[in-house]
Amino acid sequence: DAGITQSPRHKVTETGTPVTLRCHQTENHRYMYWYRQDPGHGLRLIHYSYGVKDTDKGEVSDGYSVSRSKTEDFLLTLESATSSQTSVYFCAISETGSTEAFFGQGTRLTVV
Amino acid sequence: DQQVKQNSPSLSVQEGRISILNCDYTNSMFDYFLWYKKYPAEGPTFLISISSIKDKNEDGRFTVFLNKSAKHLSLHIVPSQPGDSAVYFCAASAIFGNEKLTFGTGTRLTIIP
């Protein structure tokens, strides 16, 4: 299994609070991604990174920011959490960006 | 704008029979296609892929077929087993100039013993 660790695995937070999710990889892959999974929507890309300090937006980036200061770590921040951001968040890594990506176990976030 | 579509949210198949999952795409730049399998409370796992230079790729019980003119791909599982019950996601990318996968909405496959 690809070495990807997401933390925390579960979190409940209040509306308006900041939240940071962490993804850590041990595979030295160049590309890292944050997806969210919601019923009826499948997996939607939030942000991705193609190198240290190099990031770009995905299709549902509003309300989210990311940072990648080291190859192995990719952080997703919700500056002010809203109930619409209740979801399961998955981190993924890829060597090439356009072929196989490997996913973490997911973080279930509930905003109350 | 859903570029990758899985029009069947769910599918039930008897154990031992063939399961066929379908996926359509609209972006003609896509030239690499993948299928992922997802169990509850786990991350998606890569199952099988196909490049647009091929029309079929086989791996054990799993075969993916690609029809480029119809912008359609399918995943065949034969024979279906109870452990195949999961959500299956289709994904697509463009090998050059596109650094991410675009996923469909998923099909929940249930294998009936």
Side-chain angles (χ1 to χ4, degrees), chain A residues 92-111:
Chain A
I93 63 174
S94 173
E95 273 192 286
T96 66
S98 52
T99 55
E100 291 80 0
F102 301 95
F103 284 79
Q105 293 282 74
T107 295
R108 181 172 292 277
L109 176 68
T110 303
V111 183

Side-chain angles (χ1 to χ4, degrees), chain B residues 74-91:
Chain B
S74 60
L75 175 68
H76 292 211
I77 306 173
V78 57
S80 299
Q81 299 174 353
D84 296 329
S85 294
V87 176
Y88 290 79
F89 291 101
C90 168

